[in-house]
PDB file of all heavy atoms in Angstrom:
ATOM      1  N   VAL A  82      -6.954  -5.375   9.525  1.00 93.00           N
ATOM      2  CA  VAL A  82      -6.687  -4.055  10.101  1.00 93.00           C
ATOM      3  C   VAL A  82      -5.783  -4.231  11.318  1.00 93.00           C
ATOM      4  O   VAL A  82      -6.094  -5.003  12.216  1.00 93.00           O
ATOM      5  CB  VAL A  82      -8.007  -3.352  10.496  1.00 93.00           C
ATOM      6  CG1 VAL A  82      -7.729  -2.020  11.184  1.00 93.00           C
ATOM      7  CG2 VAL A  82      -8.900  -3.168   9.272  1.00 93.00           C
ATOM      8  N   ASP A  83      -4.674  -3.494  11.335  1.00 93.00           N
ATOM      9  CA  ASP A  83      -3.738  -3.640  12.451  1.00 93.00           C
ATOM     10  C   ASP A  83      -4.364  -3.127  13.754  1.00 93.00           C
ATOM     11  O   ASP A  83      -5.266  -2.285  13.729  1.00 93.00           O
ATOM     12  CB  ASP A  83      -2.416  -2.925  12.142  1.00 93.00           C
ATOM     13  CG  ASP A  83      -2.590  -1.439  12.008  1.00 93.00           C
ATOM     14  OD1 ASP A  83      -2.659  -0.756  13.051  1.00 93.00           O
ATOM     15  OD2 ASP A  83      -2.652  -0.948  10.868  1.00 93.00           O
ATOM     16  N   PRO A  84      -3.902  -3.635  14.896  1.00 94.00           N
ATOM     17  CA  PRO A  84      -4.498  -3.280  16.196  1.00 94.00           C
ATOM     18  C   PRO A  84      -4.485  -1.779  16.499  1.00 94.00           C
ATOM     19  O   PRO A  84      -5.440  -1.256  17.070  1.00 94.00           O
ATOM     20  CB  PRO A  84      -3.636  -4.044  17.207  1.00 94.00           C
ATOM     21  CG  PRO A  84      -3.039  -5.167  16.433  1.00 94.00           C
ATOM     22  CD  PRO A  84      -2.868  -4.671  15.039  1.00 94.00           C
ATOM     23  N   GLU A  85      -3.436  -1.068  16.089  1.00 95.00           N
ATOM     24  CA  GLU A  85      -3.363   0.374  16.359  1.00 95.00           C
ATOM     25  C   GLU A  85      -4.461   1.132  15.600  1.00 95.00           C
ATOM     26  O   GLU A  85      -5.103   2.025  16.148  1.00 95.00           O
ATOM     27  CB  GLU A  85      -1.987   0.943  15.969  1.00 95.00           C
ATOM     28  CG  GLU A  85      -0.837   0.405  16.795  1.00 95.00           C
ATOM     29  CD  GLU A  85      -0.340  -0.969  16.319  1.00 95.00           C
ATOM     30  OE1 GLU A  85      -0.497  -1.311  15.129  1.00 95.00           O
ATOM     31  OE2 GLU A  85       0.196  -1.707  17.164  1.00 95.00           O
ATOM     32  N   THR A  86      -4.653   0.763  14.351  1.00 94.00           N
ATOM     33  CA  THR A  86      -5.696   1.408  13.541  1.00 94.00           C
ATOM     34  C   THR A  86      -7.069   1.069  14.095  1.00 94.00           C
ATOM     35  O   THR A  86      -7.943   1.929  14.198  1.00 94.00           O
ATOM     36  CB  THR A  86      -5.580   0.968  12.058  1.00 94.00           C
ATOM     37  OG1 THR A  86      -4.289   1.356  11.581  1.00 94.00           O
ATOM     38  CG2 THR A  86      -6.658   1.589  11.201  1.00 94.00           C
ATOM     39  N   ARG A  87      -7.254  -0.171  14.473  1.00 95.00           N
ATOM     40  CA  ARG A  87      -8.529  -0.600  15.050  1.00 95.00           C
ATOM     41  C   ARG A  87      -8.844   0.202  16.312  1.00 95.00           C
ATOM     42  O   ARG A  87      -9.958   0.677  16.503  1.00 95.00           O
ATOM     43  CB  ARG A  87      -8.446  -2.098  15.371  1.00 95.00           C
ATOM     44  CG  ARG A  87      -9.765  -2.805  15.275  1.00 95.00           C
ATOM     45  CD  ARG A  87      -9.633  -4.240  15.647  1.00 95.00           C
ATOM     46  NE  ARG A  87      -9.288  -5.049  14.492  1.00 95.00           N
ATOM     47  CZ  ARG A  87      -9.506  -6.342  14.420  1.00 95.00           C
ATOM     48  NH1 ARG A  87     -10.032  -6.984  15.446  1.00 95.00           N
ATOM     49  NH2 ARG A  87      -9.184  -7.021  13.350  1.00 95.00           N
ATOM     50  N   GLU A  88      -7.847   0.365  17.150  1.00 95.00           N
ATOM     51  CA  GLU A  88      -8.016   1.100  18.408  1.00 95.00           C
ATOM     52  C   GLU A  88      -8.321   2.581  18.157  1.00 95.00           C
ATOM     53  O   GLU A  88      -9.165   3.178  18.817  1.00 95.00           O
ATOM     54  CB  GLU A  88      -6.733   0.973  19.248  1.00 95.00           C
ATOM     55  CG  GLU A  88      -6.744   1.746  20.539  1.00 95.00           C
ATOM     56  CD  GLU A  88      -7.680   1.171  21.588  1.00 95.00           C
ATOM     57  OE1 GLU A  88      -7.968  -0.047  21.542  1.00 95.00           O
ATOM     58  OE2 GLU A  88      -8.143   1.951  22.429  1.00 95.00           O
ATOM     59  N   LYS A  89      -7.641   3.164  17.188  1.00 94.00           N
ATOM     60  CA  LYS A  89      -7.772   4.594  16.914  1.00 94.00           C
ATOM     61  C   LYS A  89      -9.094   4.956  16.228  1.00 94.00           C
ATOM     62  O   LYS A  89      -9.676   6.004  16.510  1.00 94.00           O
ATOM     63  CB  LYS A  89      -6.598   5.051  16.040  1.00 94.00           C
ATOM     64  CG  LYS A  89      -6.558   6.543  15.782  1.00 94.00           C
ATOM     65  CD  LYS A  89      -5.294   6.920  15.026  1.00 94.00           C
ATOM     66  CE  LYS A  89      -5.243   8.415  14.739  1.00 94.00           C
ATOM     67  NZ  LYS A  89      -4.037   8.782  13.973  1.00 94.00           N
ATOM     68  N   TYR A  90      -9.574   4.096  15.343  1.00 95.00           N
ATOM     69  CA  TYR A  90     -10.704   4.466  14.495  1.00 95.00           C
ATOM     70  C   TYR A  90     -11.989   3.674  14.728  1.00 95.00           C
ATOM     71  O   TYR A  90     -13.010   3.985  14.106  1.00 95.00           O
ATOM     72  CB  TYR A  90     -10.300   4.350  13.022  1.00 95.00           C
ATOM     73  CG  TYR A  90      -9.212   5.324  12.651  1.00 95.00           C
ATOM     74  CD1 TYR A  90      -7.905   4.890  12.477  1.00 95.00           C
ATOM     75  CD2 TYR A  90      -9.482   6.675  12.502  1.00 95.00           C
ATOM     76  CE1 TYR A  90      -6.896   5.779  12.140  1.00 95.00           C
ATOM     77  CE2 TYR A  90      -8.486   7.569  12.174  1.00 95.00           C
ATOM     78  CZ  TYR A  90      -7.198   7.118  11.986  1.00 95.00           C
ATOM     79  OH  TYR A  90      -6.202   8.012  11.666  1.00 95.00           O
ATOM     80  N   PHE A  91     -11.958   2.660  15.581  1.00 96.00           N
ATOM     81  CA  PHE A  91     -13.140   1.833  15.804  1.00 96.00           C
ATOM     82  C   PHE A  91     -13.414   1.680  17.290  1.00 96.00           C
ATOM     83  O   PHE A  91     -12.498   1.716  18.101  1.00 96.00           O
ATOM     84  CB  PHE A  91     -12.947   0.428  15.189  1.00 96.00           C
ATOM     85  CG  PHE A  91     -12.857   0.432  13.694  1.00 96.00           C
ATOM     86  CD1 PHE A  91     -11.642   0.616  13.044  1.00 96.00           C
ATOM     87  CD2 PHE A  91     -13.992   0.257  12.917  1.00 96.00           C
ATOM     88  CE1 PHE A  91     -11.547   0.632  11.673  1.00 96.00           C
ATOM     89  CE2 PHE A  91     -13.907   0.260  11.525  1.00 96.00           C
ATOM     90  CZ  PHE A  91     -12.687   0.449  10.913  1.00 96.00           C
ATOM     91  N   THR A  92     -14.688   1.473  17.613  1.00 96.00           N
ATOM     92  CA  THR A  92     -15.118   1.171  18.970  1.00 96.00           C
ATOM     93  C   THR A  92     -15.721  -0.220  18.961  1.00 96.00           C
ATOM     94  O   THR A  92     -16.558  -0.527  18.102  1.00 96.00           O
ATOM     95  CB  THR A  92     -16.190   2.192  19.435  1.00 96.00           C
ATOM     96  OG1 THR A  92     -15.646   3.501  19.327  1.00 96.00           O
ATOM     97  CG2 THR A  92     -16.619   1.911  20.857  1.00 96.00           C
ATOM     98  N   ARG A  93     -15.296  -1.052  19.899  1.00 95.00           N
ATOM     99  CA  ARG A  93     -15.862  -2.408  19.984  1.00 95.00           C
ATOM    100  C   ARG A  93     -17.262  -2.313  20.578  1.00 95.00           C
ATOM    101  O   ARG A  93     -17.446  -1.766  21.656  1.00 95.00           O
ATOM    102  CB  ARG A  93     -14.982  -3.298  20.848  1.00 95.00           C
ATOM    103  CG  ARG A  93     -15.471  -4.731  20.891  1.00 95.00           C
ATOM    104  CD  ARG A  93     -14.539  -5.582  21.712  1.00 95.00           C
ATOM    105  NE  ARG A  93     -13.412  -5.930  20.869  1.00 95.00           N
ATOM    106  CZ  ARG A  93     -13.100  -7.169  20.521  1.00 95.00           C
ATOM    107  NH1 ARG A  93     -13.795  -8.170  20.984  1.00 95.00           N
ATOM    108  NH2 ARG A  93     -12.097  -7.406  19.741  1.00 95.00           N
ATOM    109  N   LYS A  94     -18.239  -2.843  19.854  1.00 95.00           N
ATOM    110  CA  LYS A  94     -19.623  -2.836  20.331  1.00 95.00           C
ATOM    111  C   LYS A  94     -19.999  -4.150  21.001  1.00 95.00           C
ATOM    112  O   LYS A  94     -20.851  -4.174  21.877  1.00 95.00           O
ATOM    113  CB  LYS A  94     -20.578  -2.558  19.174  1.00 95.00           C
ATOM    114  CG  LYS A  94     -20.493  -1.115  18.699  1.00 95.00           C
ATOM    115  CD  LYS A  94     -21.653  -0.737  17.845  1.00 95.00           C
ATOM    116  CE  LYS A  94     -22.883  -0.615  18.699  1.00 95.00           C
ATOM    117  NZ  LYS A  94     -24.050  -0.136  18.006  1.00 95.00           N
ATOM    118  N   SER A  95     -19.394  -5.222  20.544  1.00 94.00           N
ATOM    119  CA  SER A  95     -19.636  -6.542  21.130  1.00 94.00           C
ATOM    120  C   SER A  95     -18.432  -7.412  20.781  1.00 94.00           C
ATOM    121  O   SER A  95     -17.471  -6.939  20.181  1.00 94.00           O
ATOM    122  CB  SER A  95     -20.930  -7.157  20.585  1.00 94.00           C
ATOM    123  OG  SER A  95     -20.803  -7.453  19.212  1.00 94.00           O
ATOM    124  N   LYS A  96     -18.524  -8.677  21.115  1.00 90.00           N
ATOM    125  CA  LYS A  96     -17.388  -9.575  20.884  1.00 90.00           C
ATOM    126  C   LYS A  96     -16.917  -9.560  19.428  1.00 90.00           C
ATOM    127  O   LYS A  96     -15.724  -9.553  19.150  1.00 90.00           O
ATOM    128  CB  LYS A  96     -17.759 -11.000  21.300  1.00 90.00           C
ATOM    129  CG  LYS A  96     -16.641 -11.981  21.122  1.00 90.00           C
ATOM    130  CD  LYS A  96     -17.041 -13.376  21.524  1.00 90.00           C
ATOM    131  CE  LYS A  96     -15.869 -14.319  21.256  1.00 90.00           C
ATOM    132  NZ  LYS A  96     -16.236 -15.707  21.437  1.00 90.00           N
ATOM    133  N   ASN A  97     -17.845  -9.565  18.492  1.00 93.00           N
ATOM    134  CA  ASN A  97     -17.493  -9.664  17.071  1.00 93.00           C
ATOM    135  C   ASN A  97     -17.921  -8.461  16.236  1.00 93.00           C
ATOM    136  O   ASN A  97     -17.974  -8.549  15.015  1.00 93.00           O
ATOM    137  CB  ASN A  97     -18.117 -10.924  16.464  1.00 93.00           C
ATOM    138  CG  ASN A  97     -17.495 -12.178  17.019  1.00 93.00           C
ATOM    139  OD1 ASN A  97     -16.282 -12.239  17.198  1.00 93.00           O
ATOM    140  ND2 ASN A  97     -18.314 -13.161  17.321  1.00 93.00           N
ATOM    141  N   LEU A  98     -18.239  -7.327  16.884  1.00 96.00           N
ATOM    142  CA  LEU A  98     -18.739  -6.180  16.136  1.00 96.00           C
ATOM    143  C   LEU A  98     -18.018  -4.898  16.549  1.00 96.00           C
ATOM    144  O   LEU A  98     -17.881  -4.611  17.732  1.00 96.00           O
ATOM    145  CB  LEU A  98     -20.240  -6.016  16.375  1.00 96.00           C
ATOM    146  CG  LEU A  98     -20.961  -5.001  15.491  1.00 96.00           C
ATOM    147  CD1 LEU A  98     -20.947  -5.426  14.023  1.00 96.00           C
ATOM    148  CD2 LEU A  98     -22.397  -4.822  15.967  1.00 96.00           C
ATOM    149  N   TYR A  99     -17.570  -4.160  15.521  1.00 96.00           N
ATOM    150  CA  TYR A  99     -16.905  -2.879  15.731  1.00 96.00           C
ATOM    151  C   TYR A  99     -17.686  -1.797  15.008  1.00 96.00           C
ATOM    152  O   TYR A  99     -18.280  -2.038  13.961  1.00 96.00           O
ATOM    153  CB  TYR A  99     -15.483  -2.912  15.160  1.00 96.00           C
ATOM    154  CG  TYR A  99     -14.534  -3.764  15.951  1.00 96.00           C
ATOM    155  CD1 TYR A  99     -14.483  -5.140  15.768  1.00 96.00           C
ATOM    156  CD2 TYR A  99     -13.681  -3.178  16.872  1.00 96.00           C
ATOM    157  CE1 TYR A  99     -13.599  -5.910  16.485  1.00 96.00           C
ATOM    158  CE2 TYR A  99     -12.788  -3.952  17.595  1.00 96.00           C
ATOM    159  CZ  TYR A  99     -12.749  -5.313  17.405  1.00 96.00           C
ATOM    160  OH  TYR A  99     -11.880  -6.084  18.120  1.00 96.00           O
ATOM    161  N   GLU A 100     -17.628  -0.599  15.577  1.00 96.00           N
ATOM    162  CA  GLU A 100     -18.269   0.550  14.953  1.00 96.00           C
ATOM    163  C   GLU A 100     -17.204   1.602  14.653  1.00 96.00           C
ATOM    164  O   GLU A 100     -16.364   1.903  15.505  1.00 96.00           O
ATOM    165  CB  GLU A 100     -19.313   1.133  15.900  1.00 96.00           C
ATOM    166  CG  GLU A 100     -20.054   2.321  15.346  1.00 96.00           C
ATOM    167  CD  GLU A 100     -21.113   2.811  16.324  1.00 96.00           C
ATOM    168  OE1 GLU A 100     -20.824   2.947  17.527  1.00 96.00           O
ATOM    169  OE2 GLU A 100     -22.237   3.057  15.865  1.00 96.00           O
ATOM    170  N   ILE A 101     -17.267   2.140  13.444  1.00 94.00           N
ATOM    171  CA  ILE A 101     -16.312   3.173  13.075  1.00 94.00           C
ATOM    172  C   ILE A 101     -16.662   4.438  13.856  1.00 94.00           C
ATOM    173  O   ILE A 101     -17.832   4.720  14.095  1.00 94.00           O
ATOM    174  CB  ILE A 101     -16.293   3.400  11.546  1.00 94.00           C
ATOM    175  CG1 ILE A 101     -15.060   4.152  11.133  1.00 94.00           C
ATOM    176  CG2 ILE A 101     -17.523   4.081  11.056  1.00 94.00           C
ATOM    177  CD1 ILE A 101     -14.569   3.802   9.774  1.00 94.00           C
ATOM    178  N   LYS A 102     -15.657   5.171  14.299  1.00 91.00           N
ATOM    179  CA  LYS A 102     -15.894   6.339  15.146  1.00 91.00           C
ATOM    180  C   LYS A 102     -16.545   7.472  14.356  1.00 91.00           C
ATOM    181  O   LYS A 102     -16.345   7.627  13.155  1.00 91.00           O
ATOM    182  CB  LYS A 102     -14.585   6.791  15.788  1.00 91.00           C
ATOM    183  CG  LYS A 102     -14.103   5.765  16.814  1.00 91.00           C
ATOM    184  CD  LYS A 102     -12.909   6.243  17.586  1.00 91.00           C
ATOM    185  CE  LYS A 102     -12.539   5.176  18.635  1.00 91.00           C
ATOM    186  NZ  LYS A 102     -11.317   5.548  19.363  1.00 91.00           N
ATOM    187  N   ASP A 103     -17.322   8.278  15.087  1.00 86.00           N
ATOM    188  CA  ASP A 103     -18.112   9.348  14.478  1.00 86.00           C
ATOM    189  C   ASP A 103     -17.285  10.342  13.673  1.00 86.00           C
ATOM    190  O   ASP A 103     -17.770  10.900  12.696  1.00 86.00           O
ATOM    191  CB  ASP A 103     -18.891  10.118  15.550  1.00 86.00           C
ATOM    192  CG  ASP A 103     -20.030   9.309  16.138  1.00 86.00           C
ATOM    193  OD1 ASP A 103     -20.404   8.285  15.530  1.00 86.00           O
ATOM    194  OD2 ASP A 103     -20.536   9.696  17.201  1.00 86.00           O
ATOM    195  N   ASN A 104     -16.047  10.585  14.088  1.00 80.00           N
ATOM    196  CA  ASN A 104     -15.249  11.562  13.351  1.00 80.00           C
ATOM    197  C   ASN A 104     -14.990  11.114  11.914  1.00 80.00           C
ATOM    198  O   ASN A 104     -14.705  11.928  11.055  1.00 80.00           O
ATOM    199  CB  ASN A 104     -13.936  11.874  14.070  1.00 80.00           C
ATOM    200  CG  ASN A 104     -13.019  10.672  14.182  1.00 80.00           C
ATOM    201  OD1 ASN A 104     -13.466   9.537  14.251  1.00 80.00           O
ATOM    202  ND2 ASN A 104     -11.731  10.928  14.212  1.00 80.00           N
ATOM    203  N   LEU A 105     -15.105   9.820  11.631  1.00 81.00           N
ATOM    204  CA  LEU A 105     -14.968   9.334  10.257  1.00 81.00           C
ATOM    205  C   LEU A 105     -16.303   9.290   9.533  1.00 81.00           C
ATOM    206  O   LEU A 105     -16.402   9.704   8.381  1.00 81.00           O
ATOM    207  CB  LEU A 105     -14.320   7.959  10.229  1.00 81.00           C
ATOM    208  CG  LEU A 105     -12.866   7.873  10.676  1.00 81.00           C
ATOM    209  CD1 LEU A 105     -12.347   6.472  10.509  1.00 81.00           C
ATOM    210  CD2 LEU A 105     -11.994   8.845   9.921  1.00 81.00           C
ATOM    211  N   THR A 106     -17.337   8.790  10.207  1.00 82.00           N
ATOM    212  CA  THR A 106     -18.636   8.699   9.530  1.00 82.00           C
ATOM    213  C   THR A 106     -19.148  10.086   9.157  1.00 82.00           C
ATOM    214  O   THR A 106     -19.815  10.245   8.147  1.00 82.00           O
ATOM    215  CB  THR A 106     -19.688   7.961  10.378  1.00 82.00           C
ATOM    216  OG1 THR A 106     -19.817   8.605  11.650  1.00 82.00           O
ATOM    217  CG2 THR A 106     -19.326   6.500  10.562  1.00 82.00           C
ATOM    218  N   GLY A 107     -18.793  11.088   9.942  1.00 83.00           N
ATOM    219  CA  GLY A 107     -19.219  12.449   9.653  1.00 83.00           C
ATOM    220  C   GLY A 107     -18.538  13.066   8.439  1.00 83.00           C
ATOM    221  O   GLY A 107     -19.005  14.061   7.899  1.00 83.00           O
ATOM    222  N   ARG A 108     -17.445  12.488   7.995  1.00 86.00           N
ATOM    223  CA  ARG A 108     -16.712  13.031   6.852  1.00 86.00           C
ATOM    224  C   ARG A 108     -17.223  12.514   5.513  1.00 86.00           C
ATOM    225  O   ARG A 108     -16.903  13.063   4.473  1.00 86.00           O
ATOM    226  CB  ARG A 108     -15.230  12.658   6.955  1.00 86.00           C
ATOM    227  CG  ARG A 108     -14.529  13.332   8.076  1.00 86.00           C
ATOM    228  CD  ARG A 108     -13.057  13.026   7.980  1.00 86.00           C
ATOM    229  NE  ARG A 108     -12.405  13.243   9.247  1.00 86.00           N
ATOM    230  CZ  ARG A 108     -11.155  12.934   9.483  1.00 86.00           C
ATOM    231  NH1 ARG A 108     -10.423  12.381   8.534  1.00 86.00           N
ATOM    232  NH2 ARG A 108     -10.618  13.167  10.645  1.00 86.00           N
ATOM    233  N   VAL A 109     -17.977  11.436   5.524  1.00 92.00           N
ATOM    234  CA  VAL A 109     -18.431  10.802   4.281  1.00 92.00           C
ATOM    235  C   VAL A 109     -19.915  11.089   4.063  1.00 92.00           C
ATOM    236  O   VAL A 109     -20.737  10.846   4.944  1.00 92.00           O
ATOM    237  CB  VAL A 109     -18.200   9.272   4.325  1.00 92.00           C
ATOM    238  CG1 VAL A 109     -18.750   8.597   3.077  1.00 92.00           C
ATOM    239  CG2 VAL A 109     -16.726   8.953   4.502  1.00 92.00           C
ATOM    240  N   LYS A 110     -20.243  11.618   2.882  1.00 94.00           N
ATOM    241  CA  LYS A 110     -21.641  11.817   2.498  1.00 94.00           C
ATOM    242  C   LYS A 110     -22.064  10.594   1.699  1.00 94.00           C
ATOM    243  O   LYS A 110     -21.523  10.344   0.617  1.00 94.00           O
ATOM    244  CB  LYS A 110     -21.791  13.065   1.633  1.00 94.00           C
ATOM    245  CG  LYS A 110     -21.451  14.350   2.324  1.00 94.00           C
ATOM    246  CD  LYS A 110     -21.559  15.499   1.325  1.00 94.00           C
ATOM    247  CE  LYS A 110     -20.987  16.759   1.905  1.00 94.00           C
ATOM    248  NZ  LYS A 110     -20.884  17.822   0.904  1.00 94.00           N
ATOM    249  N   LEU A 111     -22.993   9.836   2.234  1.00 95.00           N
ATOM    250  CA  LEU A 111     -23.478   8.637   1.555  1.00 95.00           C
ATOM    251  C   LEU A 111     -24.728   8.983   0.752  1.00 95.00           C
ATOM    252  O   LEU A 111     -25.649   9.613   1.262  1.00 95.00           O
ATOM    253  CB  LEU A 111     -23.782   7.550   2.569  1.00 95.00           C
ATOM    254  CG  LEU A 111     -22.547   6.998   3.286  1.00 95.00           C
ATOM    255  CD1 LEU A 111     -22.924   6.336   4.584  1.00 95.00           C
ATOM    256  CD2 LEU A 111     -21.805   6.038   2.390  1.00 95.00           C
ATOM    257  N   LYS A 112     -24.738   8.571  -0.520  1.00 94.00           N
ATOM    258  CA  LYS A 112     -25.853   8.899  -1.406  1.00 94.00           C
ATOM    259  C   LYS A 112     -26.303   7.683  -2.193  1.00 94.00           C
ATOM    260  O   LYS A 112     -25.484   6.902  -2.649  1.00 94.00           O
ATOM    261  CB  LYS A 112     -25.439  10.000  -2.379  1.00 94.00           C
ATOM    262  CG  LYS A 112     -25.074  11.292  -1.690  1.00 94.00           C
ATOM    263  CD  LYS A 112     -24.875  12.387  -2.682  1.00 94.00           C
ATOM    264  CE  LYS A 112     -24.603  13.658  -1.927  1.00 94.00           C
ATOM    265  NZ  LYS A 112     -25.092  14.813  -2.599  1.00 94.00           N
ATOM    266  N   HIS A 113     -27.610   7.588  -2.362  1.00 95.00           N
ATOM    267  CA  HIS A 113     -28.180   6.564  -3.240  1.00 95.00           C
ATOM    268  C   HIS A 113     -28.073   7.099  -4.665  1.00 95.00           C
ATOM    269  O   HIS A 113     -28.609   8.166  -4.984  1.00 95.00           O
ATOM    270  CB  HIS A 113     -29.638   6.312  -2.860  1.00 95.00           C
ATOM    271  CG  HIS A 113     -30.297   5.320  -3.739  1.00 95.00           C
ATOM    272  ND1 HIS A 113     -31.255   5.666  -4.659  1.00 95.00           N
ATOM    273  CD2 HIS A 113     -30.104   3.986  -3.869  1.00 95.00           C
ATOM    274  CE1 HIS A 113     -31.634   4.583  -5.302  1.00 95.00           C
ATOM    275  NE2 HIS A 113     -30.959   3.556  -4.852  1.00 95.00           N
TER     276      HIS A 113
END
Side-chain angles (χ1 to χ4, degrees):
V82 176
D83 64 80
E85 295 82 26
T86 300
R87 210 182 272 202
E88 177 71 25
K89 185 175 179 182
Y90 296 105
F91 294 87
T92 303
R93 184 178 279 243
K94 289 196 72 175
S95 67
K96 181 181 178 188
N97 292 319
L98 190 65
Y99 289 82
E100 181 178 46
I101 196 149
K102 291 187 177 176
D103 289 345
N104 64 330
L105 293 184
T106 56
R108 292 187 200 173
V109 176
K110 296 176 190 171
L111 293 159
K112 298 188 176 212
H113 178 251

